[in-house]
Amino acid sequence: MTATGRSGSAPARTTMSGKSIVESQFERAANLIGLDQYMRRILMRPFREVQVEVPVRMDDGRIEVFTGYRIQHNGARGPCKGGIRYHPEADHDEVLGLAAIMTWKTALMDIPFGGAKGGVTVDPKKLSKLELERLTRRFTQRISIVLGPYRDIPAPDVNTNAQVMAWILDEFSSRHGYTPAAVTGKPVSLGGTLGREEATGRGVMYVMMEYARDFGIPLKGSRVVIQGFGNVGGHLARLLHAEAGAKVIAVSDVSGGVVNEKGLDVPALLAHTAAGKPVVEWPGGGGRAIANTEIWTIPCDWLVPAALGGVITRETNARTIDCKVVVEGANEPTTPIADLILEERGIPVIPDFLANAGGVTVSYYEWSQNLQQYRWTHEQVNRELHATITKAYVGVRDLAKQRGVTFRTAAYAIALQRVAEAERLRGN
Ligand code: GLU
């Protein structure tokens, strides 16, 4: 492994869509396992796409109309599963690409789900809480025909949270009767599971722990840079600091970031952002504020993109990133060309659908608890998550070594094989 290059340039979102990112990576793995052409077609295309217009009464009395999507990519291995995101750039192709990633993620974790994703093209920061609730309820009404605990189960994603899931549950239940298993990532007091909120960050840490052991980059005292300080980045920083003894040296959110070579005081920073203040305004502990572009230039052991997709690109930072390993906490943060550049440079990438699969894995435990009307302890959730994600990691690591391919290609190969087998057994 090498760590070279010290300068950086301004990152920008790639123009390559989520759909095309996924397509090109899919082909590499499909070739590796010699997947039949007809099966490639089945697995490449979505099972069902729903696009809806969502009229919402705004606080000033006007009606504004938003476009929403629910795309069910594949359900061969179980009910479709995946989050709903609210974002101004969420569009058909992005949601489709993310739905496909969910199919590979649930297959790689070997949990009994398929893959789906939802999205509404909206900037939720411009909505009041009541407008957000009305939007969520209307969107749920319009897609509820394809939802259900054995059909398709939504969860949180970018800019949605347990409160949004509670509204979805309420709306769905008002038509179908009390159905907690219809949505995951709910508040614990409404049938959510302990440990779900931190699950994605915790899963990222578990994968890092295994990788650290295998590849000789001990987590304790190692330097971690995290781009994004939301649900994934925030919990990851907290856990790495508290449970792994890692030095989180820089984090950022949309407003900018902070860096401190000696390691940030993560609990204090979390208290600052919990009060609704941006990371960049944190005065604490001898760190200095940085612009968002600078986060990619900081030399470190682990670089974790944990916000939006398409942030590591050929045009911006792929040639200059200076880390020992990239861990994809976000979905699709690396474009395929950037992925190849990192490979050439000898910088390994732990792919999104392995690294960030903790969220959907604990969603599976939530769904199971709801169906059984039985509650697990937080320790039980963490123990099962550790076992599931570690097993998936070991499978990927071993295949990557055996076939001389990247972790991403190996992960795809395992997932494709499982979904293809389920399709074949169903008669396709
Ligand atoms: N949105 C999360 C993801 O991308 C979680 C999905 C889920 O729990 O269904 O994996």
Side-chain angles (χ1 to χ4, degrees):
M1 269 167 291
T2 55
T4 49
R6 300 242 156 184
S7 65
S9 50
R13 286 202 69 186
T14 175
T15 49
M16 193 158 191
S17 70
K19 183 166 159 282
S20 43
I21 291 177
V22 170
E23 272 170 10
S24 67
Q25 291 165 342
F26 174 95
E27 283 300 327
R28 246 177 134 181
N31 293 339
L32 185 76
I33 58 169
L35 199 66
D36 292 333
Q37 283 305 326
Y38 86 92
M39 190 58 81
R40 290 183 197 213
R41 184 171 169 148
I42 293 177
L43 300 189
M44 204 55 243
R45 309 268 175 101
F47 167 73
R48 178 193 277 143
E49 302 189 355
V50 177
Q51 179 178 329
V52 291
E53 296 303 310
V54 189
V56 178
R57 173 83 58 193
M58 307 305 276
D59 292 344
D60 63 6
R62 273 178 315 119
I63 288 193
E64 227 177 281
V65 186
F66 301 92
T67 303
Y69 308 87
R70 183 71 185 175
I71 300 185
Q72 298 172 339
H73 176 260
N74 190 284
R77 300 182 62 265
C80 295
K81 186 83 192 78
I84 291 177
R85 64 170 55 187
Y86 290 166
H87 197 272
E89 285 174 44
D91 62 10
H92 170 271
D93 280 6
E94 179 180 84
V95 174
L96 174 51
L98 293 165
I101 294 262
M102 289 309 302
T103 300
W104 316 133
K105 201 181 293 190
T106 54
L108 183 64
M109 293 302 117
D110 210 1
I111 57 178
F113 288 138
K117 200 78 168 196
V120 178
T121 315
V122 60
D123 184 353
K125 287 177 196 75
K126 295 196 178 135
L127 302 191
S128 69
K129 192 166 180 202
L130 278 172
E131 288 167 343
L132 202 66
E133 177 175 351
R134 288 194 287 266
L135 169 70
T136 301
R137 289 184 182 280
R138 254 299 162 84
F139 178 54
T140 306
Q141 285 167 18
R142 303 226 154 172
I143 62 168
S144 80
I145 188 148
V146 298
L147 301 180
Y150 293 107
R151 281 182 183 280
D152 181 355
I153 305 140
D157 198 81
V158 172
N159 291 330
T160 56
N161 56 19
Q163 174 62 77
V164 173
M165 298 308 114
W167 292 325
I168 293 176
L169 172 67
D170 187 61
E171 200 58 46
F172 188 86
S173 297
S174 71
R175 296 170 164 227
H176 302 271
Y178 178 62
T179 327
V183 54
T184 62
K186 302 177 292 290
V188 174
S189 45
L190 271 184
T193 183
L194 296 166
R196 174 61 184 85
E197 204 183 274
E198 65 171 33
T200 309
R202 181 171 284 283
V204 175
M205 179 180 71
Y206 287 157
V207 170
M208 288 170 72
M209 283 172 162
E210 293 304 310
Y211 194 94
R213 207 174 2 241
D214 288 342
F215 294 89
I217 318 170
L219 261 184
K220 197 166 167 36
S222 71
R223 295 161 308 153
V224 186
V225 170
I226 304 174
Q227 178 251 354
F229 208 57
N231 182 254
V232 182
H235 282 293
L236 176 64
R238 176 178 64 79
L239 292 167
L240 283 174
H241 181 86
E243 295 186 17
K247 235 173 25 175
V248 179
I249 59 168
V251 302
S252 66
D253 64 12
V254 279
S255 64
V258 285
V259 58
N260 184 346
E261 276 299 327
K262 295 197 192 85
L264 296 164
D265 181 350
V266 176
L269 180 55
L270 281 165
H272 166 86
T273 54
K277 296 184 205 144
V279 165
V280 74
E281 284 174 16
W282 187 53
R288 72 181 168 86
I290 51 170
N292 262 331
T293 50
E294 216 183 315
I295 196 94
W296 307 109
T297 68
I298 300 165
C300 58
D301 298 307
W302 310 84
L303 176 61
V304 189
L308 291 174
V311 293
I312 301 182
T313 74
R314 171 177 55 185
E315 294 75 23
T316 57
N317 47 11
R319 290 186 200 287
T320 51
I321 275 170
D322 185 359
C323 64
K324 291 190 179 142
V325 47
V326 171
V327 187
E328 294 187 332
N331 286 316
E332 300 181 332
T334 315
T335 67
I337 296 171
D339 208 34
L340 291 174
I341 294 170
L342 293 174
E343 196 181 334
E344 266 168 38
R345 293 184 57 210
I347 299 179
V349 178
I350 306 181
D352 46 10
F353 63 105
L354 172 59
N356 73 27
V360 74
T361 300
V362 174
S363 276
Y364 165 50
Y365 307 149
E366 180 175 336
W367 179 75
S368 315
Q369 290 171 66
N370 293 151
L371 293 177
Q372 295 175 3
Q373 295 161 36
Y374 185 76
R375 302 209 106 171
W376 295 12
T377 63
H378 196 164
E379 291 67 37
Q380 193 176 354
V381 168
N382 290 351
R383 204 167 47 240
E384 295 281 335
L385 169 61
H386 185 259
T388 300
I389 207 161
T390 302
K391 188 165 174 225
Y393 164 84
V394 167
V396 172
R397 178 201 65 195
D398 290 352
L399 186 66
K401 189 163 180 218
Q402 192 190 325
R403 303 294 299 264
V405 295
T406 62
F407 268 42
R408 190 187 314 277
T409 302
Y412 261 112
I414 293 168
L416 284 179
Q417 196 83 269
R418 288 186 181 150
V419 184
E421 187 185 343
E423 286 285 0
R424 275 190 217 105
L425 288 167
R426 283 171 177 266
N428 296 323

